[in-house]
Amino acid sequence: MSVIIERKIVFFLCRLAVGLLALVLIVGTVIPLLHSNAWWVRIFDFPRVQIALLTGLTLAGYVALRLYGSLGGWDYALAALVGLALVWQLISIAPYTALYPKEMSASRAEDDSNRISLLVFNVLSDNRDVAALRDLIRDTDPDIILLSEPDQWWLEQLDGLEDDYPYTLLQPQDNDYGMLLYSRLKLKDPEVRFLIDPAVPSFRAQVRLRSGSLVTFYGVHPRPPGIERPDEEQDSSREKTAGEEGEDGDRVDSDVRDAELLLIASEVKELGSVPVIVAGDFNDVAWSRTTHQFQRIGGLLDPRVGRGLLNTFDTRSRFLRYPLDYAFASRHFLLAELHRLPDIGSDHFPIFAVFDYNPESLSENDPPQPDAGDAREADEAIEEGKSND
């Protein structure tokens, strides 16, 4: 075989490989635009940064191919579509860069009587490095500690924490959805609630700041889309379908997660002018349709906007990392600090946030405004989540 023929074959194979990658990235960009709660649709919400990086490399691949040979019409068509996909992905993630205007203004207050600091951390139920967590609590000295995924072992190992954090809300569970709340600030009317999923708790309490002001606090950790259904739910699903496999198999769709988040957002809206903080492992990315709708309905600010991604999951992969853990706040607050803390043994990084309650900040912060159909869509999503649970 001549050298010329070999080069033509190699060039064709390179065009084919780049073309196939382009098709995958185009489909991966389009799928999240579908108005569907199916898990295989919603998981494409997550890798926008990764898809943006790969689309950029694909465009570079087309440029390199053009330098070494001629391209066909389908090559240029795919390159154009990949370019559009890149623009769309960059638009989606641009708010979570330092180049974008900040959604929550920075605090300049010196008085800490209206300040509240939070440590938000998914401990990973089978993680056993409790000493690292205790060290982190000592170093950060937060007012409130919200832990996701703790079981009874974690509760026992954290025995004595109540000496410094006398106000607690404790719901350890063995299904990876337990939560523990420790606070040095007084809690009023603390409650554990099972809003949508009877196996997944959420917290609500009023927190009394040092100044005496009350802040409504929500702690959340809904199920993510795409995970395997618990055995008992699989059995129930099979009974309902007379032994036939469901359309989405034995994996969890996003309807229950979305319903819980939108139900909380609706509650926040009903509270009116009350200062609110919602924190926890949302199992959703900041740029998803659900999280944006959650913010718009609740009028909640994301301190990440204009400051950075602060990816918290997964500590075990540098490439596949997403922002899943949050502390959203109403427009009554200014941001004093926001940090992603070091890896301490979980698959999540801890998040540390410090907010200043300042009623005068209402004029400084401009929360997302609800769209015309948000309330109706939220009601439909909540009803769907309740019926599908």
Side-chain angles (χ1 to χ4, degrees), residues 98-174:
L99 302 176
Y100 203 83
K102 295 177 176 61
E103 190 168 86
M104 178 179 285
S105 300
S107 172
R108 297 173 294 276
E110 296 181 0
D111 179 19
D112 66 354
S113 63
N114 271 325
R115 181 163 290 188
I116 180 171
S117 57
L118 304 101
L119 176 64
V120 180
F121 181 46
N122 183 317
V123 300
L124 184 62
S125 57
D126 59 359
N127 171 28
R128 292 297 180 254
D129 198 351
V130 68
L133 175 57
R134 283 187 173 273
D135 289 343
L136 187 67
I137 293 171
R138 183 197 63 229
D139 294 341
T140 56
D141 194 30
D143 294 319
I144 290 180
I145 305 163
L146 179 65
L147 305 178
S148 301
E149 284 198 25
D151 53 15
Q152 186 64 31
W153 183 91
W154 272 96
L155 180 61
E156 294 171 358
Q157 296 302 310
L158 292 172
D159 183 46
L161 198 58
E162 296 93 335
D163 295 342
D164 295 320
Y165 296 88
Y167 307 102
T168 60
L169 197 53
L170 309 175
Q171 183 66 26
Q173 295 185 182
D174 294 329

Side-chain angles (χ1 to χ4, degrees), residues 169-222:
L169 197 53
L170 309 175
Q171 183 66 26
Q173 295 185 182
D174 294 329
N175 65 348
D176 295 339
Y177 294 97
M179 288 204 300
L180 304 177
L181 175 66
Y182 297 88
S183 176
R184 64 160 51 103
L185 301 174
K186 187 174 182 179
L187 300 180
K188 180 182 177 183
D189 301 325
E191 55 181 329
V192 179
R193 307 190 300 168
F194 295 84
L195 296 174
I196 303 292
D197 190 328
V200 176
S202 69
F203 289 168
R204 183 175 66 181
Q206 289 183 293
V207 181
R208 189 172 297 279
L209 304 182
R210 295 172 183 84
S211 64
S213 300
L214 286 173
V215 173
T216 300
F217 178 85
Y218 290 87
V220 301
H221 182 211

Side-chain angles (χ1 to χ4, degrees), residues 31-104:
I31 284 180
L33 301 179
L34 300 177
H35 199 84
S36 170
N37 292 323
W39 68 266
W40 60 270
V41 172
R42 296 276 60 92
I43 59 173
F44 282 95
D45 285 332
F46 290 76
R48 289 195 183 276
V49 175
Q50 292 79 6
I51 291 177
L53 176 61
L54 291 174
T55 52
L57 292 175
T58 302
L59 286 175
Y62 274 119
V63 171
L65 288 172
R66 181 63 184 85
L67 293 175
Y68 286 94
S70 60
L71 300 178
W74 63 274
D75 294 301
Y76 289 110
L78 286 175
L81 291 175
V82 167
L84 291 175
L86 176 59
V87 171
W88 178 254
Q89 300 292 2
L90 291 177
I91 289 174
S92 298
I93 62 180
Y96 310 96
T97 67
L99 302 176
Y100 203 83
K102 295 177 176 61
E103 190 168 86
M104 178 179 285

